[in-house]
Amino acid sequence: GSSDRLKFALPERSHQSEILAMSLATSVTRLDTSTGVAIDDPLPDTVLLAFLRGEGAGPKGRVLDEVHAFDMVRMEKEHDFIQWLFPTDEPSQFVEVPLLTETLQLVARDDKVILSSVRRSLDIFLAFLGLRIVSAPGEWLVKKANFQQRKKVCWTVTCAEGNHNWRRISRVLKSLNLFGLEAEARALFLCLERLWTTGSIPRFAEKTMVFWRDAAGMGDRSIPKYNAKATTACCLPKSGRL
């Protein structure tokens, strides 16, 4: 098909994102019927990339630095920012946000500014959960930080699904994989698995553990027994392999 021809016609990976980025139109022109004036509206694709680069507005007109400056109370109460910090290729049930399409994934994976922004967002979100990620020689490590202080807000059952922050975690795991940050996603899941096996999170999260595992791209990994002795550290080699 045409997509196959395009795939084989493209040059090496290092040049693909540049070509695709250049091919993306930045706006679409529409006629304002009330004034008769032509207006250029930014396309959703370019809006998302600009926000992730810190160059454009996202949720409610806020730029990336403004969202990163949210305190933990605001992060808990606001419900329209996590979809911009961690976009996926699926529509949100709650907020209208541009999708991270296959084309945008390719562009973003080769954009150091965007990847740096996503990693900064991950640091902030993990702190919100009471966790932190550490870069050690040859591996990523996600572990408890101020976990006890955040337990009431993030890790107790507060709704029929458990806790709305658990859904956020699923989004973060999937988004990290789409950005090519598989090692960080899997390191986070291994930490969640350890919290599960040590009884640090409620047994109610049993079904959620399956969602987290699949979102992390580790669908072939069995969910261990609850509150059993943990056999896996919360870390993963930076290569992304176990």
Side-chain angles (χ1 to χ4, degrees), residues 72 75 86 119-134 141-147 150 154-155 169 172 176 184 187-188 191-192:
M72 292 190 181
M75 287 180 69
F86 299 100
R119 288 190 173 103
R120 175 60 180 153
S121 296
L122 178 61
D123 288 341
I124 292 170
F125 183 66
L126 289 179
F128 172 77
L129 297 176
L131 305 172
R132 64 190 177 103
I133 186 167
V134 178
L141 176 67
V142 176
K143 58 183 180 179
K144 291 181 179 179
N146 57 328
F147 186 81
R150 303 302 303 159
C154 299
W155 300 106
I169 293 172
V172 170
L176 290 174
E184 289 90 334
L188 173 55
C191 185
L192 296 169

Coordinates of all heavy atoms in Angstrom, one line a residue, residues 72 75 86 119-134 141-147 150 154-155 169 172 176 184 187-188 191-192:
M72 N 0.9 20.4 44.9 CA 0.2 19.1 44.9 C -1.3 19.2 45.1 O -2.0 18.4 44.6 CB 0.9 18.3 46.0 CG 2.3 17.9 45.6 SD 3.0 16.7 46.7 CE 4.7 16.5 46.1
M75 N -2.6 19.9 41.7 CA -2.5 18.7 40.8 C -3.6 17.7 41.1 O -4.1 17.0 40.2 CB -1.1 18.1 41.0 CG 0.0 18.8 40.4 SD 1.6 18.0 40.7 CE 1.4 16.5 39.7
F86 N 1.1 14.1 29.4 CA 1.3 12.8 29.0 C 0.3 12.4 27.9 O -0.6 11.6 28.2 CB 1.3 11.8 30.2 CG 2.4 12.1 31.2 CD1 2.0 12.8 32.3 CD2 3.7 11.7 31.0 CE1 3.0 13.1 33.3 CE2 4.6 11.9 32.0 CZ 4.3 12.7 33.1
R119 N 10.3 14.0 30.6 CA 11.1 13.5 31.8 C 10.8 14.4 33.0 O 10.7 14.0 34.2 CB 12.5 13.4 31.5 CG 12.9 12.2 30.6 CD 14.4 12.0 30.5 NE 14.6 10.8 29.7 CZ 15.1 10.8 28.5 NH1 15.3 11.9 27.8 NH2 15.3 9.6 27.8
R120 N 10.8 15.7 32.8 CA 10.5 16.7 33.9 C 9.1 16.5 34.4 O 8.9 16.5 35.6 CB 10.7 18.1 33.4 CG 10.3 19.2 34.4 CD 11.1 19.1 35.6 NE 10.8 20.2 36.6 CZ 10.9 20.1 37.9 NH1 11.4 19.0 38.4 NH2 10.6 21.1 38.7
S121 N 8.2 16.3 33.5 CA 6.8 16.0 33.9 C 6.7 14.7 34.7 O 6.0 14.6 35.7 CB 5.9 15.9 32.7 OG 5.8 17.1 32.0
L122 N 7.5 13.7 34.3 CA 7.5 12.5 35.1 C 8.1 12.7 36.5 O 7.5 12.2 37.5 CB 8.4 11.4 34.4 CG 8.6 10.1 35.0 CD1 7.2 9.4 35.2 CD2 9.5 9.2 34.3
D123 N 9.1 13.4 36.6 CA 9.7 13.8 38.0 C 8.6 14.4 38.9 O 8.5 14.0 40.0 CB 10.9 14.7 37.8 CG 12.1 14.1 37.3 OD1 12.2 12.8 37.3 OD2 13.0 14.8 36.8
I124 N 7.9 15.3 38.3 CA 6.9 16.1 39.1 C 5.7 15.1 39.4 O 5.2 15.1 40.6 CB 6.3 17.3 38.2 CG1 7.5 18.3 38.1 CG2 5.1 17.9 38.9 CD1 7.1 19.4 37.1
F125 N 5.3 14.3 38.5 CA 4.2 13.4 38.8 C 4.6 12.3 39.8 O 3.8 12.0 40.7 CB 3.7 12.8 37.5 CG 2.5 11.9 37.7 CD1 1.3 12.4 38.1 CD2 2.6 10.5 37.5 CE1 0.1 11.6 38.3 CE2 1.5 9.7 37.7 CZ 0.2 10.2 38.1
L126 N 5.8 11.8 39.7 CA 6.2 10.8 40.7 C 6.3 11.5 42.1 O 5.9 10.8 43.1 CB 7.6 10.3 40.3 CG 7.6 9.4 39.1 CD1 9.0 8.9 38.8 CD2 6.7 8.1 39.2
A127 N 6.7 12.7 42.2 CA 6.8 13.4 43.5 C 5.4 13.5 44.0 O 5.1 13.3 45.2 CB 7.4 14.7 43.4
F128 N 4.4 13.8 43.2 CA 3.0 13.8 43.6 C 2.5 12.5 44.2 O 1.8 12.5 45.1 CB 2.2 14.2 42.4 CG 0.7 14.2 42.6 CD1 0.0 15.2 43.3 CD2 -0.1 13.1 42.1 CE1 -1.4 15.1 43.5 CE2 -1.4 13.0 42.3 CZ -2.1 14.0 43.0
L129 N 3.0 11.4 43.6 CA 2.7 10.1 44.1 C 3.4 9.6 45.3 O 3.1 8.6 45.9 CB 2.9 9.0 43.0 CG 2.1 9.2 41.7 CD1 2.5 8.1 40.7 CD2 0.6 9.1 41.9
G130 N 4.5 10.4 45.6 CA 5.3 10.0 46.8 C 6.5 9.1 46.3 O 7.0 8.3 47.1
L131 N 6.8 9.2 45.0 CA 7.9 8.4 44.5 C 9.0 9.2 43.8 O 8.8 10.5 43.7 CB 7.3 7.4 43.4 CG 6.2 6.5 43.8 CD1 5.6 5.8 42.6 CD2 6.6 5.5 44.9
R132 N 10.1 8.6 43.4 CA 11.1 9.4 42.7 C 11.9 8.4 41.8 O 11.9 7.2 42.1 CB 12.0 10.1 43.6 CG 12.9 9.3 44.5 CD 13.6 10.2 45.5 NE 14.4 9.4 46.5 CZ 15.7 9.3 46.4 NH1 16.4 9.9 45.4 NH2 16.4 8.6 47.3
I133 N 12.4 8.9 40.7 CA 13.2 8.1 39.8 C 14.6 8.6 39.9 O 14.9 9.8 39.9 CB 12.6 8.3 38.3 CG1 13.4 7.3 37.4 CG2 12.7 9.7 37.8 CD1 12.7 7.1 36.1
V134 N 15.5 7.6 39.9 CA 16.9 7.9 40.1 C 17.7 7.2 38.9 O 17.4 6.0 38.6 CB 17.4 7.3 41.4 CG1 18.9 7.6 41.5 CG2 16.7 8.0 42.6
L141 N 15.9 3.6 38.5 CA 15.3 3.1 39.8 C 14.2 4.0 40.2 O 14.4 5.2 40.3 CB 16.4 3.1 40.8 CG 16.0 2.7 42.3 CD1 15.6 1.2 42.3 CD2 17.1 2.9 43.2
V142 N 13.0 3.5 40.4 CA 11.9 4.2 40.9 C 11.6 3.7 42.3 O 11.5 2.4 42.5 CB 10.6 4.1 40.1 CG1 9.5 4.8 40.7 CG2 10.9 4.6 38.7
K143 N 11.6 4.5 43.3 CA 11.4 4.1 44.7 C 10.6 5.1 45.5 O 10.3 6.2 45.0 CB 12.7 3.8 45.3 CG 13.6 5.0 45.4 CD 15.0 4.7 46.0 CE 15.9 5.8 46.1 NZ 17.2 5.5 46.7
K144 N 10.2 4.7 46.7 CA 9.5 5.6 47.6 C 10.3 6.8 47.9 O 11.5 6.8 48.1 CB 9.1 4.9 48.9 CG 8.1 3.8 48.7 CD 7.8 3.2 50.1 CE 6.8 2.0 50.0 NZ 6.5 1.4 51.3
A145 N 9.6 7.9 48.1 CA 10.2 9.2 48.6 C 9.4 9.6 49.8 O 9.5 9.1 50.9 CB 10.2 10.2 47.5
N146 N 8.4 10.5 49.5 CA 7.5 10.9 50.6 C 6.2 10.2 50.5 O 5.1 10.7 50.5 CB 7.2 12.4 50.5 CG 6.7 12.9 49.1 OD1 7.0 12.3 48.1 ND2 5.8 13.9 49.1
F147 N 6.3 8.8 50.4 CA 5.2 8.0 50.1 C 4.1 8.0 51.2 O 2.9 8.1 50.8 CB 5.7 6.5 49.9 CG 4.6 5.6 49.5 CD1 4.3 5.5 48.1 CD2 4.0 4.8 50.4 CE1 3.3 4.6 47.7 CE2 3.0 3.9 50.0 CZ 2.6 3.8 48.7
R150 N 1.9 11.0 51.0 CA 1.0 11.1 49.8 C 0.0 9.9 49.8 O -0.8 9.8 48.9 CB 1.9 11.0 48.5 CG 2.9 12.1 48.4 CD 2.2 13.5 48.4 NE 1.2 13.6 47.4 CZ 0.2 14.5 47.5 NH1 0.1 15.3 48.5 NH2 -0.7 14.6 46.5
C154 N -3.2 9.6 47.2 CA -3.0 8.9 46.0 C -3.2 7.4 46.0 O -3.3 6.7 45.0 CB -1.5 9.2 45.5 SG -1.2 10.9 45.1
W155 N -3.1 6.8 47.2 CA -3.1 5.4 47.3 C -4.2 4.7 48.2 O -4.1 3.5 48.4 CB -1.7 5.0 47.9 CG -0.6 5.4 47.0 CD1 0.3 6.5 47.3 CD2 -0.2 4.9 45.7 NE1 1.1 6.6 46.2 CE2 0.9 5.7 45.3 CE3 -0.7 3.9 44.9 CZ2 1.5 5.5 44.0 CZ3 -0.1 3.7 43.7 CH2 1.0 4.4 43.3
I169 N -1.9 7.1 36.4 CA -0.7 6.3 36.3 C -0.8 5.5 35.0 O 0.2 5.4 34.3 CB -0.6 5.4 37.5 CG1 -0.3 6.2 38.7 CG2 0.6 4.4 37.3 CD1 -0.3 5.5 40.0
V172 N 0.2 7.7 32.1 CA 1.6 8.0 32.2 C 2.4 6.9 31.6 O 3.3 7.1 30.8 CB 2.1 8.4 33.6 CG1 3.6 8.5 33.7 CG2 1.4 9.7 34.0
L176 N 4.7 7.3 28.2 CA 6.1 7.1 28.2 C 6.6 6.1 27.1 O 7.6 6.4 26.4 CB 6.6 6.6 29.6 CG 6.5 7.5 30.7 CD1 6.8 6.8 32.1 CD2 7.4 8.7 30.5
E184 N 11.9 3.9 31.4 CA 11.3 4.6 32.5 C 9.9 4.0 32.8 O 9.5 3.9 34.0 CB 11.2 6.1 32.2 CG 12.5 6.8 32.1 CD 13.1 6.8 30.8 OE1 12.9 5.9 30.0 OE2 13.9 7.8 30.5
A187 N 10.4 0.7 34.6 CA 10.9 0.9 35.9 C 9.8 1.3 36.9 O 9.7 0.9 38.0 CB 12.1 1.9 35.9
L188 N 8.9 2.2 36.4 CA 7.8 2.6 37.2 C 6.9 1.4 37.5 O 6.4 1.3 38.6 CB 7.0 3.7 36.5 CG 5.7 4.2 37.1 CD1 5.9 4.6 38.6 CD2 5.1 5.3 36.3
C191 N 8.2 -0.8 40.2 CA 8.0 -0.2 41.5 C 6.6 -0.4 42.0 O 6.4 -0.7 43.1 CB 8.4 1.3 41.5 SG 8.3 2.1 43.1
L192 N 5.6 -0.2 41.1 CA 4.2 -0.4 41.4 C 4.0 -1.9 41.8 O 3.3 -2.2 42.8 CB 3.3 -0.1 40.2 CG 3.3 1.4 39.8 CD1 2.6 1.5 38.5 CD2 2.6 2.2 40.9

